[in-house]
Amino acid sequence: MRLAGTLFAAAALGCAAPLSAEVAETTASGFVTRDMAEVAATPMQTWLALIRPGAWWNDAHTWSADAANMTLTPQAGGCLCERVPGEDRADGFSLDGSVQHMVVVQSYPLKNLRMRGGLGPLQGEPATGVLTITLEEIGGGTRIRWEYVVGGYMRYEVPTIAAAVDQVMSQQLHGLRDHLGALGGAAATVPRDSDPAAAEEASLEDQIDALDGAG
């Protein structure tokens, strides 16, 4: 079950689109990441896509290795959850597992969705996060704002985990953007080999792997 934790940083290496997210704030016990995307879709189309994460969530950031197992119930008390299919057994029994990634605490259809929970490697830590997704109608489409605020005790160095989370949160938003279509045309791609930040990102992956192995 370390898959989601170790790949949380690793998959950031293979992002197809340039990342415009930022680590907006850091403290001794937390951080804030922010990103924004503009899509060629109405707020209704954007909302309906947002609440179907199986269509755009990255497979690498699931426990089942298949985003099709992800579901989102967009009402207070609902969850961003995942079914983990059980392995076939010789005796014929296959018991499915499940993961609660986040709990919905606020839902205003077409406008705002707020969820609470520790994603990826943060799930195993006392720290938690609040993800606020805001939709704003603009000319030709919708602007999506994506903010994740994390705080509390964690066994990671804040700058290390903040940089990894920042990139992967951006990757999820860009998955939604690409699913709907970027406003103004397709996003440019950046080959991994030409990315000057690759060495630094690989270092983040090594540090997170080391902690996962010790946990």
Side-chain angles (χ1 to χ4, degrees):
M1 299 298 283
R2 291 173 49 200
L3 176 64
T6 55
L7 289 181
F8 198 88
L13 298 173
C15 292
L19 299 180
S20 60
E22 62 173 346
V23 178
E25 301 174 32
T26 59
T27 68
S29 60
F31 59 90
V32 179
T33 76
R34 295 192 182 106
D35 197 4
M36 183 272 291
E38 295 181 346
V39 297
T42 65
M44 175 65 79
Q45 292 168 328
T46 304
W47 179 264
L48 292 178
L50 172 64
I51 63 176
R52 295 180 174 88
W56 52 267
W57 196 269
N58 191 295
D59 291 340
H61 304 310
T62 66
W63 296 91
S64 63
D66 186 353
N69 292 312
M70 300 282 289
T71 59
L72 172 57
T73 303
Q75 61 185 36
C79 73
L80 174 63
C81 287
E82 177 182 357
R83 183 178 71 91
V84 182
E87 297 181 0
D88 292 334
R89 293 163 46 97
D91 58 11
F93 286 96
S94 177
L95 301 177
D96 290 349
S98 61
V99 179
Q100 177 180 282
H101 293 271
M102 308 192 89
V103 176
V104 176
V105 295
Q106 186 182 85
S107 177
Y108 291 109
L110 316 188
K111 295 182 178 180
N112 185 78
L113 179 68
R114 178 169 291 142
M115 299 181 286
R116 184 181 300 273
L119 292 169
L122 294 175
Q123 188 181 78
E125 304 299 313
T128 191
V130 176
L131 174 62
T132 301
I133 302 170
T134 305
L135 308 185
E136 174 190 356
E137 186 171 11
I138 58 175
T142 302
R143 178 177 294 125
I144 308 171
R145 298 188 185 277
W146 194 278
E147 180 183 75
Y148 191 41
V149 183
V150 174
Y153 174 76
M154 64 190 91
R155 293 169 293 171
Y156 298 102
E157 294 182 1
V158 170
T160 298
I161 192 66
V165 170
D166 173 47
Q167 293 185 63
V168 175
M169 293 304 288
S170 183
Q171 187 180 17
Q172 303 305 331
L173 173 56
H174 290 183
L176 176 59
R177 178 201 63 190
D178 294 345
H179 174 67
L180 289 166
L183 186 62
T189 59
V190 177
R192 172 176 173 178
D193 291 344
S194 66
D195 184 357
E200 180 180 354
E201 293 166 357
S203 176
L204 296 176
E205 176 191 352
D206 290 342
Q207 293 181 57
I208 291 176
D209 276 345
L211 181 52
D212 284 338

